[in-house]
């Protein structure tokens, strides 16, 4: 009985250690701008919060064909807000940072869909 309790306590400690290691994990994500639009602002907010963090780009701009690397981002699910050269905003909800491959490609379709211009409903007008 004592041995079973020790094994259970050991398993619990390993599980907590694994959770704590993931909780402290950091991610590196490279954002590739494959759209026609320059990205002037890039904001992150943990999905469970209601306010945006600082502009991740600072004074930089991700031009057409350019890329920007975010480093040391705590692993979490984030809402992402992009602002293009015209001031148009695009919000993508619940992005898993740490669960992906470390690259995020932004295309014209992504931005236009986000702004409500995508899809077939505009065809023929």
């Amino acid at each position: 009985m004592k041995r079973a309790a020790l094994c259970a306590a050991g398993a619990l400690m390993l599980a907590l250690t694994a959770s704590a290691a993931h909780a402290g994990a950091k991610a590196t994500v490279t954002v590739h701008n494959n759209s026609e639009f320059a990205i002037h602002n890039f904001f992150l907010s943990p999905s469970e919060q209601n306010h945006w963090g600082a502009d991740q780009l600072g004074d930089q701009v991700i031009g057409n064909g350019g890329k920007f690397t975010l480093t040391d981002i705590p692993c979490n699910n984030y809402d992402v807000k992009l602002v293009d050269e015209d001031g148009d905003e695009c919000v993508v909800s619940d992005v898993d940072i740490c669960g992906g491959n470390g690259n995020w490609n932004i295309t014209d379709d992504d931005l236009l869909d986000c702004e409500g211009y995508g899809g077939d409903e505009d065809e023929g007008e």
Side-chain angles (χ1 to χ4, degrees):
M1 183 75 153
K2 198 175 205 179
R3 176 176 236 143
L6 286 174
C7 287
L12 178 60
M13 286 179 62
L14 283 174
L16 291 175
T17 302
S19 289
H22 181 68
K26 305 278 185 169
T28 297
V29 178
T30 301
V31 179
H32 300 268
N33 184 5
N34 296 320
S35 77
E36 294 180 28
F37 307 97
I39 305 299
H40 285 248
N41 305 99
F42 188 103
F43 300 95
L44 293 174
S45 172
S47 294
E48 69 276 0
Q49 294 183 7
N50 292 324
H51 65 276
W52 295 106
D55 182 3
Q56 298 294 311
L57 297 179
D59 293 333
Q60 297 184 36
V61 171
I62 311 172
N64 173 279
K67 64 182 177 179
F68 182 80
T69 301
L70 301 165
T71 59
D72 293 328
I73 304 296
C75 290
N76 202 346
N77 283 15
Y78 289 89
D79 296 336
V80 178
K81 179 168 71 169
L82 305 169
V83 182
D84 72 12
E85 61 199 47
D86 296 326
D88 295 325
E89 295 182 359
C90 178
V91 175
V92 181
S93 299
D94 207 29
V95 176
D96 181 8
I97 304 242
C98 273
N101 65 6
N103 288 298
W104 187 23
N105 294 304
I106 301 169
T107 66
D108 287 337
D109 287 342
D110 294 330
L111 294 175
L112 293 174
D113 283 348
C114 192
E115 294 172 21
Y117 295 109
D120 297 329
E121 65 274 1
D122 292 333
E123 288 185 8
E125 291 183 16

